[in-house]
Amino acid sequence: MKKTKAASDTIAVPQSTQPLKAWIFKNWQLYAMLLIPVVLTIIYKYVPMYGIQIAFRDYKANRGITGSEWVGLKWFIQFFSSPNCGRMIANTFLLSLYSLLWSFPIPIILALIINQLRFKRLKRVTQTVLYAPHFISTMVVCGMIRIFLSPSGGLINLIAGTSIDFLSEASAFRTIYIASGIWQDAGWGIIVYLATLSNIDMSNYEAAKIDGASMFQRIMAIDLPELKPTIVLMLIMSAGNLMNIGFEKVWLLQTDLNKATSDVIAVYVYQQGIENAKYSYATAVGLFNTVVNIILLIVVNKLAKKMSDDVSFV
């Protein structure tokens, strides 16, 4: 018995000794399909990185990038010396952080609830209703927000019996931004989680029911452990965009009276680069924002790696 066990332990799965060229030639269709997104990524993501050096030059369009004067960290120093620098960084970070804290758990909770529905028609209708807001453009969403929050005839003011101009209140801007974001994107965010839950073996639920487990206990013992790698992965991806506030919505909802909380880096880059034609300065501010994003991504990835060994990027 010992010899048999030892012999069975030494059995190894045979590895392919096929040369790499022969393997690629055999599966050339797959590599041809992979070539298209790789080329597009290189063209639209990596090639434009050449222009990052504008952040370190006094860019003049008639001189070109390499012909413009090299000024080093001049534009970065100018940004950090500006009176609104601290406010913009704080607004960008807080708005992103609050959005992540409030909006990240909602799709998970919705996916767990929908997964418990046993009537397929009700399940499909619920999913469709939740998906629908995602396909409404940001422009239309902001128009709806302005109508609902209008001080004269707005739905919220009619219900509350008030005439408050919420968009002029700096303290209300973050709540409006986050709440509208949850309404628009929470339904779309459940797709990944529902796909993960659909792969769970139904026999696990049946065994749990036989053992007398309640619905909450089944969610805690079966659903959440299955979702854990997906949750960690989505958290890492969300943290990588922590400083990337949606420019369009902030720009469309911003007023002179709510700038105390709505003045973010993305809008500032647009104003300086497009409206004021300060290309070098705007590039420097955008580059700073990107570097902060990379640092946050690495930090969150390290923390997530301690939570789950199954998922990590770095």
Side-chain angles (χ1 to χ4, degrees):
M1 291 296 293
K2 292 183 179 180
K3 291 183 179 179
T4 304
K5 185 177 180 181
S8 63
D9 290 342
T10 57
I11 295 175
V13 178
Q15 296 182 352
S16 175
T17 57
Q18 194 174 14
L20 179 61
K21 290 183 179 180
W23 176 261
I24 294 176
F25 180 77
K26 181 181 178 181
N27 302 278
W28 68 270
Q29 298 95 335
L30 297 176
Y31 287 96
M33 293 175 61
L34 180 64
L35 185 63
I36 297 174
V38 169
V39 171
L40 291 176
T41 302
I42 292 173
I43 293 174
Y44 291 105
K45 298 295 183 180
Y46 286 93
V47 173
M49 288 185 182
Y50 174 77
I52 290 178
Q53 60 179 299
I54 294 176
F56 305 95
R57 295 180 181 273
D58 186 9
Y59 176 71
K60 304 294 182 183
N62 58 344
R63 296 180 183 177
I65 295 178
T66 56
S68 299
E69 180 185 359
W70 182 272
V71 295
L73 300 177
K74 174 184 175 180
W75 306 118
F76 294 93
I77 295 172
Q78 182 175 329
F79 172 64
F80 292 129
S81 301
S82 61
N84 293 330
C85 173
R87 186 180 74 177
M88 284 186 293
I89 295 175
N91 286 341
T92 304
F93 181 76
L94 290 176
L95 194 58
S96 299
L97 181 62
Y98 292 155
S99 297
L100 181 62
L101 292 177
W102 283 101
S103 62
F104 185 78
I106 300 298
I108 302 173
I109 297 172
L110 290 175
L112 292 171
I113 294 173
I114 292 175
N115 189 58
Q116 297 300 319
L117 299 178
R118 291 295 170 253
F119 296 101
K120 292 185 178 180
R121 180 172 295 182
L122 176 61
K123 193 173 183 178
R124 288 197 296 266
V125 171
T126 304
Q127 288 178 258
T128 303
V129 171
L130 292 174
Y131 292 165
H134 178 77
F135 299 98
I136 303 175
S137 69
T138 304
M139 179 74 74
V140 175
V141 170
C142 292
M144 294 170 61
I145 292 172
R146 287 187 174 276
I147 292 173
F148 290 149
L149 299 180
S150 173
S152 57
L155 180 62
I156 304 300
N157 280 302
L158 287 176
I159 294 174
T162 58
S163 57
I164 302 173
D165 188 0
F166 291 99
L167 289 177
S168 297
E169 299 287 338
S171 58
F173 178 82
R174 288 172 184 159
T175 303
I176 295 169
Y177 181 92
I178 295 169
S180 60
I182 293 174
W183 173 77
Q184 187 176 15
D185 297 323
W188 186 255
I190 69 177
I191 293 177
V192 176
Y193 301 112
L194 283 178
T196 303
L197 292 172
S198 65
N199 293 324
I200 299 177
D201 191 352
M202 294 302 296
S203 62
N204 294 334
Y205 294 111
E206 295 172 359
K209 288 181 181 178
I210 294 173
D211 291 338
S214 64
M215 183 180 69
F216 180 76
Q217 289 173 330
R218 294 196 298 271
I219 290 174
M220 297 299 295
I222 301 173
D223 293 343
L224 286 179
E226 287 290 332
L227 284 178
K228 184 178 178 181
T230 305
I231 292 173
V232 173
L233 178 62
M234 298 302 292
L235 177 62
I236 294 173
M237 295 176 65
S238 299
N241 293 317
L242 192 61
M243 294 290 286
N244 286 341
I245 284 293
F247 158 76
E248 292 182 3
K249 186 186 290 187
V250 176
W251 175 253
L252 292 171
L253 295 179
Q254 189 180 74
T255 65
D256 292 335
L257 297 177
N258 65 21
K259 278 192 174 183
T261 54
S262 67
D263 198 10
V264 297
I265 292 177
V267 174
Y268 187 69
V269 169
Y270 171 81
Q271 292 172 335
Q272 297 299 317
I274 303 300
E275 294 182 353
N276 299 332
K278 297 180 179 179
Y279 305 116
S280 295
Y281 182 62
T283 303
V285 178
L287 181 58
F288 161 75
N289 195 49
T290 302
V291 171
V292 173
N293 267 330
I294 294 174
I295 295 173
L296 290 173
L297 176 62
I298 294 173
V299 171
V300 173
N301 181 74
K302 296 298 183 183
L303 295 175
K305 202 170 184 180
K306 294 181 179 180
M307 295 170 55
S308 174
D309 295 332
D310 300 329
V311 181
S312 64
F313 286 156
V314 182

